[in-house]
Coordinates of all heavy atoms in Angstrom, one line a residue:
P82 N -4.4 21.6 7.7 CA -4.0 22.7 8.6 C -3.2 23.8 7.8 O -2.0 24.0 8.0 CB -3.1 22.1 9.7 CG -2.5 20.9 8.9 CD -3.5 20.4 7.9
I83 N -3.9 24.5 6.9 CA -3.3 25.4 6.0 C -3.6 26.9 6.4 O -2.9 27.8 6.1 CB -3.8 25.2 4.6 CG1 -3.3 23.8 4.1 CG2 -3.4 26.2 3.6 CD1 -3.9 23.4 2.7
F84 N -4.7 27.1 7.2 CA -5.2 28.4 7.4 C -5.0 29.0 8.8 O -5.1 28.2 9.8 CB -6.7 28.5 7.1 CG -7.1 28.2 5.6 CD1 -7.2 27.0 5.1 CD2 -7.2 29.3 4.8 CE1 -7.5 26.7 3.8 CE2 -7.5 29.1 3.4 CZ -7.6 27.8 2.9
N85 N -4.8 30.3 8.8 CA -4.7 31.0 10.1 C -6.1 31.2 10.7 O -7.1 31.0 9.9 CB -4.0 32.3 10.0 CG -2.5 32.2 9.7 OD1 -1.9 31.2 10.2 ND2 -2.0 33.0 8.9
S86 N -6.2 31.6 11.9 CA -7.5 31.9 12.5 C -8.2 33.1 11.9 O -7.5 34.0 11.4 CB -7.4 32.0 14.0 OG -6.7 33.2 14.3
E87 N -9.5 33.2 12.0 CA -10.3 34.2 11.3 C -10.0 35.6 11.9 O -10.1 36.6 11.2 CB -11.8 33.9 11.5 CG -12.6 34.7 10.6 CD -14.1 34.3 10.6 OE1 -14.4 33.4 11.3 OE2 -14.9 34.9 9.9
D88 N -9.5 35.7 13.1 CA -9.2 37.0 13.7 C -7.9 37.6 13.2 O -7.6 38.7 13.6 CB -9.4 37.0 15.2 CG -8.5 36.0 15.9 OD1 -7.7 35.4 15.2 OD2 -8.6 35.8 17.1
S89 N -7.1 36.9 12.4 CA -5.9 37.4 11.9 C -6.1 38.1 10.6 O -7.1 37.9 10.0 CB -4.8 36.3 11.8 OG -5.3 35.3 11.0
Q90 N -5.1 38.8 10.1 CA -5.2 39.5 8.8 C -5.2 38.5 7.7 O -4.4 37.6 7.7 CB -4.0 40.4 8.7 CG -4.2 41.4 7.5 CD -2.9 42.2 7.3 OE1 -2.4 42.8 8.3 NE2 -2.4 42.3 6.1
P91 N -6.2 38.5 6.8 CA -6.3 37.5 5.7 C -5.1 37.4 4.8 O -4.7 36.3 4.4 CB -7.6 37.9 4.9 CG -8.2 39.1 5.6 CD -7.3 39.5 6.7
W92 N -4.6 38.5 4.4 CA -3.4 38.5 3.5 C -2.8 39.8 3.4 O -3.3 40.8 3.9 CB -3.8 37.9 2.1 CG -5.0 38.5 1.5 CD1 -5.5 39.8 1.7 CD2 -5.8 37.9 0.5 NE1 -6.6 40.0 0.9 CE2 -6.8 38.9 0.2 CE3 -5.8 36.7 -0.1 CZ2 -7.8 38.6 -0.8 CZ3 -6.8 36.4 -1.1 CH2 -7.8 37.3 -1.4
D93 N -1.6 39.9 2.7 CA -0.9 41.2 2.5 C -1.3 41.8 1.1 O -0.7 42.7 0.7 CB 0.6 41.0 2.6 CG 1.0 40.6 4.0 OD1 0.4 41.1 4.9 OD2 2.0 39.8 4.1
A94 N -2.2 41.2 0.4 CA -2.5 41.6 -1.0 C -3.0 43.0 -1.0 O -3.8 43.5 -0.2 CB -3.6 40.6 -1.5
K95 N -2.6 43.7 -2.1 CA -3.0 45.1 -2.3 C -3.2 45.3 -3.8 O -2.6 44.6 -4.6 CB -1.8 46.1 -1.9 CG -1.4 45.9 -0.4 CD -2.3 46.6 0.5 CE -1.9 46.4 2.0 NZ -2.9 46.7 3.0
A96 N -4.1 46.3 -4.1 CA -4.4 46.6 -5.5 C -3.4 47.6 -6.0 O -2.8 48.4 -5.3 CB -5.8 47.2 -5.5
S97 N -3.2 47.6 -7.3 CA -2.4 48.6 -8.0 C -3.0 48.9 -9.4 O -3.7 48.0 -10.0 CB -0.9 48.2 -8.2 OG -0.8 47.0 -9.0
I98 N -2.8 50.1 -9.8 CA -3.5 50.6 -11.1 C -2.4 50.9 -12.1 O -1.4 51.6 -11.8 CB -4.3 51.8 -10.8 CG1 -5.4 51.5 -9.7 CG2 -5.0 52.3 -12.1 CD1 -6.2 52.7 -9.3
N99 N -2.5 50.4 -13.3 CA -1.5 50.6 -14.3 C -1.9 51.8 -15.2 O -3.0 52.3 -15.1 CB -1.1 49.4 -15.1 CG -2.2 48.9 -16.0 OD1 -2.9 49.6 -16.5 ND2 -2.3 47.5 -16.1
D100 N -1.0 52.1 -16.2 CA -1.2 53.3 -17.0 C -2.3 53.2 -18.0 O -2.6 54.2 -18.7 CB 0.1 53.7 -17.7 CG 1.1 54.2 -16.7 OD1 0.8 54.5 -15.6 OD2 2.3 54.3 -17.1
S101 N -2.9 52.0 -18.2 CA -4.0 51.9 -19.2 C -5.3 52.5 -18.6 O -6.3 52.5 -19.3 CB -4.1 50.5 -19.6 OG -4.5 49.7 -18.6
C102 N -5.3 52.8 -17.3 CA -6.4 53.5 -16.7 C -7.0 54.6 -17.5 O -6.2 55.5 -17.9 CB -6.0 53.9 -15.3 SG -7.0 55.1 -14.5
L103 N -8.3 54.7 -17.7 CA -8.9 55.8 -18.5 C -8.5 57.2 -18.1 O -8.2 58.0 -18.9 CB -10.4 55.6 -18.5 CG -11.0 54.4 -19.3 CD1 -12.5 54.4 -19.1 CD2 -10.6 54.5 -20.8
A104 N -8.5 57.4 -16.8 CA -8.1 58.7 -16.2 C -6.7 59.1 -16.7 O -6.5 60.3 -16.9 CB -8.3 58.7 -14.7
H105 N -5.8 58.2 -16.8 CA -4.5 58.5 -17.3 C -4.5 59.0 -18.7 O -3.5 59.5 -19.2 CB -3.5 57.3 -17.1 CG -3.1 57.1 -15.7 ND1 -2.0 57.6 -15.2 CD2 -3.7 56.5 -14.7 CE1 -1.9 57.3 -13.9 NE2 -2.9 56.6 -13.6
H106 N -5.6 58.7 -19.4 CA -5.7 59.1 -20.8 C -6.8 60.2 -20.9 O -7.4 60.3 -22.0 CB -6.1 57.9 -21.7 CG -5.0 56.8 -21.7 ND1 -3.9 56.9 -22.5 CD2 -4.7 55.8 -20.8 CE1 -3.1 55.9 -22.2 NE2 -3.6 55.2 -21.2
N107 N -7.0 60.9 -19.8 CA -7.9 62.0 -19.7 C -9.3 61.7 -20.0 O -10.1 62.6 -20.5 CB -7.4 63.1 -20.7 CG -7.2 64.4 -20.0 OD1 -7.3 64.5 -18.8 ND2 -6.9 65.5 -20.7
V108 N -9.8 60.5 -19.7 CA -11.2 60.1 -19.8 C -11.7 60.0 -18.4 O -11.1 59.2 -17.6 CB -11.4 58.8 -20.6 CG1 -12.9 58.5 -20.7 CG2 -10.8 59.0 -22.0
E109 N -12.8 60.7 -18.1 CA -13.3 60.7 -16.7 C -13.9 59.3 -16.4 O -14.7 58.7 -17.1 CB -14.5 61.7 -16.6 CG -15.1 61.8 -15.3 CD -14.3 62.6 -14.2 OE1 -13.6 63.5 -14.6 OE2 -14.4 62.1 -13.1
C110 N -13.4 58.7 -15.3 CA -13.9 57.4 -14.9 C -13.6 57.2 -13.4 O -12.5 57.5 -13.0 CB -13.3 56.2 -15.6 SG -13.8 54.6 -15.0
R111 N -14.6 56.9 -12.6 CA -14.4 56.7 -11.2 C -15.0 55.4 -10.7 O -15.4 55.2 -9.5 CB -15.0 57.9 -10.4 CG -14.3 59.2 -10.7 CD -14.6 60.3 -9.7 NE -14.0 61.5 -10.1 CZ -13.7 62.5 -9.2 NH1 -13.9 62.3 -7.9 NH2 -13.1 63.6 -9.7
S112 N -15.1 54.4 -11.6 CA -15.8 53.1 -11.3 C -15.1 52.4 -10.1 O -15.8 51.9 -9.2 CB -15.8 52.2 -12.5 OG -16.5 52.8 -13.5
C113 N -13.8 52.4 -10.1 CA -13.1 51.7 -9.1 C -13.3 52.3 -7.7 O -13.6 51.6 -6.7 CB -11.6 51.6 -9.4 SG -10.8 53.2 -9.6
G114 N -13.3 53.7 -7.7 CA -13.6 54.4 -6.4 C -14.9 54.1 -5.9 O -15.1 53.9 -4.7
D115 N -15.9 54.0 -6.8 CA -17.3 53.7 -6.4 C -17.4 52.3 -5.8 O -18.2 52.0 -4.9 CB -18.3 53.8 -7.5 CG -18.4 55.3 -8.0 OD1 -18.0 56.2 -7.3 OD2 -18.8 55.5 -9.2
A116 N -16.6 51.4 -6.3 CA -16.7 50.0 -5.9 C -15.9 49.7 -4.6 O -16.1 48.7 -3.9 CB -16.1 49.0 -7.0
C117 N -15.1 50.6 -4.2 CA -14.2 50.3 -3.0 C -14.9 50.7 -1.7 O -15.1 51.9 -1.4 CB -12.9 51.1 -3.2 SG -11.8 50.8 -1.8
E118 N -15.2 49.7 -0.9 CA -15.9 49.9 0.3 C -15.1 50.6 1.4 O -15.6 51.4 2.2 CB -16.3 48.5 0.9 CG -17.8 48.4 1.1 CD -18.2 47.0 1.5 OE1 -17.7 46.6 2.6 OE2 -18.9 46.3 0.8
T119 N -13.8 50.4 1.4 CA -12.9 51.0 2.4 C -12.5 52.4 2.0 O -11.8 53.1 2.7 CB -11.7 50.2 2.7 OG1 -10.9 50.1 1.5 CG2 -12.0 48.7 3.1
M120 N -12.9 52.8 0.8 CA -12.6 54.2 0.3 C -11.0 54.3 0.2 O -10.5 55.4 0.4 CB -13.2 55.3 1.1 CG -14.7 55.2 1.0 SD -15.7 56.3 1.9 CE -15.1 57.9 1.7
A121 N -10.4 53.2 -0.2 CA -8.9 53.3 -0.4 C -8.5 54.0 -1.7 O -7.4 54.4 -1.8 CB -8.4 51.8 -0.4
I122 N -9.5 54.1 -2.6 CA -9.2 54.8 -3.9 C -9.7 56.2 -3.8 O -10.9 56.4 -3.7 CB -9.8 54.0 -5.1 CG1 -9.4 52.5 -5.0 CG2 -9.3 54.7 -6.4 CD1 -9.9 51.7 -6.2
Q123 N -8.7 57.1 -3.8 CA -9.1 58.5 -3.8 C -8.7 59.2 -5.1 O -7.7 58.7 -5.7 CB -8.3 59.2 -2.7 CG -8.6 58.7 -1.3 CD -10.1 59.1 -0.8 OE1 -10.6 60.1 -1.2 NE2 -10.7 58.2 -0.1
F124 N -9.5 60.1 -5.5 CA -9.2 60.8 -6.8 C -8.6 62.2 -6.5 O -9.2 63.0 -5.8 CB -10.5 60.9 -7.6 CG -10.8 59.6 -8.3 CD1 -11.4 58.6 -7.6 CD2 -10.4 59.3 -9.6 CE1 -11.7 57.3 -8.2 CE2 -10.7 58.1 -10.2 CZ -11.3 57.1 -9.4
K125 N -7.5 62.4 -7.1 CA -6.7 63.6 -6.9 C -7.0 64.5 -8.1 O -6.6 64.2 -9.2 CB -5.2 63.4 -6.8 CG -4.9 62.4 -5.7 CD -4.9 63.0 -4.3 CE -4.6 61.9 -3.3 NZ -5.1 62.2 -1.9
L126 N -7.5 65.7 -7.8 CA -7.7 66.7 -8.9 C -6.4 67.2 -9.4 O -5.4 67.3 -8.6 CB -8.6 67.9 -8.4 CG -10.0 67.5 -8.1 CD1 -10.7 68.7 -7.4 CD2 -10.8 67.1 -9.4

Side-chain angles (χ1 to χ4, degrees):
I83 294 175
F84 292 87
N85 290 327
S86 64
E87 194 173 359
D88 55 8
S89 58
Q90 190 181 314
W92 50 25
D93 295 324
K95 304 282 179 195
S97 63
I98 303 177
N99 69 34
D100 290 348
S101 65
C102 160
L103 288 176
H105 283 267
H106 297 274
N107 234 4
V108 178
E109 181 75 39
C110 176
R111 297 195 182 206
S112 300
C113 56
D115 294 342
C117 180
E118 239 177 62
T119 64
M120 294 176 49
I122 307 179
Q123 297 293 324
F124 283 81
K125 307 279 177 204
L126 291 171

